[in-house]
Amino acid sequence: MLRTLLASLFLLLSLFPHAQVTGGGARVQGNPEKPNVLWLTIEDTSPQFIGAYGNPDVHTPNIDRLAAEGIRFERAFAPAPVCAISRNALITGMSPDKLGTGNHRSAYPIPDFIRGYPAYVRDRGYYTTNNAKTDYNTSRADAIIAESWDESSNKAGWWDRAPGQPFFSVFNFAESHQSRTMTQPRPWYEKNVLAHLPDSLITHADELEMLPVYRDSPDMREHIARVYNSINLMDLRIGEMLDRLEADGLTDSTIVFIYADHGEAVPGGKATASGLGYRVPFLIWFPEAYRHFSPWESGTVSQELLTFLDLGPTLISLTGGTVPEYMDGRAALGNEREPAPEYIFAGRNRLDETPDLARSVTDGRYLYTRNFFPQYPAQKPQKYADVSDIVQAIRADDRAGLLSEPQSRILRPQPTETLFDLQADPWERNNLIDDPAHAGRAKRMREAVREEILAERDVHFLPEVALAKLPMPYTFRQDQNSYHLKNALKVALTDPETIKGQRKLIRALHDDDQLVRYWAAIVLGRVPPSADAVAALETALTDEHPTVAIYAAGALVRHTDNATAATEVLRTHAMGEDPYRALSALQQMQYAGPRMHDFLPDFRAKLKQLDADPGADKNMAYNLRSIVETSIFLLGEGPKLTY
């Protein structure tokens, strides 16, 4: 028996000379054509804030060195300007618009056939680790984590793999996160960021070149220096990780990726449908042994278009696997590499307590965005932002009349459409949408957004109260008989400022389809309605679909003198049991303009209700409390916001 076993083992080793007999449940061992892969994910950072991308005031020597020796990408984009949605797209390789995962910190189901991309790498024998953020934004997050990672924790790393086993390790660097750059109080920042930097890596407020989208004042300089110093600390930590890789003798066998999970955590950046929200720094460094894997020359800058939907397919292809058909991205490396598309798409939906729906398309240089809620500003009232010194300073400067038009723009209603040249105008100050020289480009990109919405069957055109009740949003969106997206989109794209548009919207407000009525109420509420539109909105206050009634009420409160019935509709739903309808009603109260103060008693009553019973959904309880506390604070009637 023993002789037979030894003979079999000898035969195995003869046939597979690179195999090793190890413990730990390793699936495949030690193939020299399987490079180790290290992903260093930095939080909340735009390219303009990295030295290698031209910023002279930040100190990022480790990232800059890898950029000089590797490939620096100019046209890499997250599919959303916030972490949870971007990370959902990354782990699944699928568009959030199809999955219904585009609302921040939601937990809706996705189909069981969708695996996290690292699971396919594990199938190839890799040891996979994540340290440590997941934030996968779906009810299936736990199952995805279990299947994707050998270990996912703040202790995870390549060091626990079996001898000779290739690894794929992800490390997340929170030093550049919004909590560091702006949200936490100044003393916290000084203790947890500034105190950890040597003098040589500190950016001083009086020495930096002020960013053109902010007022140049001593306070704002300190706020921007804080952003830079958080990034400086992040780069220092990346250097320490690279030192550990070198100490373990793995640098020469490891391909290194560095990228941010979305754009910069500054006002007008993160959480906005903009280049500053979507565009990310992205680098790949190849050791000499694996440079044949790279289609680009080392030490170069690539203009190739990349989206996070490409990262899973790229890793699967790079490690020798087969990219599953359901993934929406393309492989940029490996045997399954495909050419970049003409366009990639991104979007913004509800984020915490803030309402929105915007859809964007880019060819890498130009970014077109259609705002479906242009009445709301880019920098919306949001507790996680308004708690910060920098947002409070901007709002105070605006009230004092100290901001120029470009500086105050983020606090004003947005254009319905924007078109920016991110190469010539990286701070997005010159909207080209009405420039005759760009009329053809605007038309093509406008149509590309419309076609993408219809092709993807974008499920976020449903009100979230309906989305939350679906057993499977991904499947529902495919049902042409139940989800009348094409008709709803026609209404959503209607111009309410024309007589023809208002008439069309009035007819739509009486349509049999509640989704059409929902969008008619939203669009009519963007501008002062005609007398006929007011009558139609008043009728809609008793619509069988409460969300239609809520948006009709919001329109009447904002734009008419006699809105007693509309006010009562908002108050009823704000205090109601359904958290999604309550949030919609509170949003309409918050955006009631001069009448917002009339709802102060309602905000206070809601706060007491939440104190007594926050509800079963912790995320929605947070959103409801946040909008109430922020509204009271912005009215000047409550205590200072705290985080």
Side-chain angles (χ1 to χ4, degrees), residues 500-517:
K500 181 179 179 181
Q502 289 236 345
R503 288 173 178 170
K504 178 180 177 180
L505 292 167
I506 291 168
R507 291 194 300 272
L509 203 52
H510 296 288
D511 196 272
D512 291 338
D513 190 330
Q514 62 186 21
L515 185 61
V516 170
R517 299 198 305 275

Side-chain angles (χ1 to χ4, degrees), residues 325-384:
E325 288 292 329
Y326 68 78
M327 287 189 173
D328 293 321
R330 53 105 189 180
L333 290 170
N335 293 333
E336 298 202 13
R337 172 174 163 81
E338 297 178 5
E342 179 183 9
Y343 295 131
I344 57 174
F345 299 87
R348 205 272 200 192
N349 304 294
R350 179 189 57 75
L351 196 160
D352 287 345
E353 72 270 29
T354 67
D356 208 357
L357 193 143
R359 292 294 177 263
S360 304
V361 61
T362 182
D363 60 4
R365 176 172 179 174
Y366 292 93
L367 176 72
Y368 167 88
T369 296
R370 171 74 192 211
N371 291 302
F372 289 92
F373 289 93
Q375 66 269 37
Y376 305 141
Q379 188 63 44
K380 298 167 180 63
Q382 180 199 12
K383 181 180 178 180
Y384 195 60

Side-chain angles (χ1 to χ4, degrees), residues 256-330:
V256 180
F257 290 66
I258 299 181
Y259 63 92
D261 60 350
H262 52 75
E264 190 61 51
V266 291
K270 176 182 178 178
T272 69
S274 65
L276 196 57
Y278 298 135
R279 186 167 166 253
V280 298
F282 195 100
L283 315 169
I284 308 178
W285 181 89
F286 293 88
E288 184 65 37
Y290 292 118
R291 284 187 181 170
H292 61 283
F293 280 90
S294 174
W296 314 281
E297 292 292 328
S298 295
T300 60
V301 176
S302 174
Q303 303 297 328
E304 187 165 324
L305 200 56
L306 288 175
T307 169
F308 282 10
L309 300 180
D310 299 335
L311 298 192
T314 294
L315 184 71
I316 294 168
S317 176
L318 177 63
T319 54
T322 300
V323 179
E325 288 292 329
Y326 68 78
M327 287 189 173
D328 293 321
R330 53 105 189 180

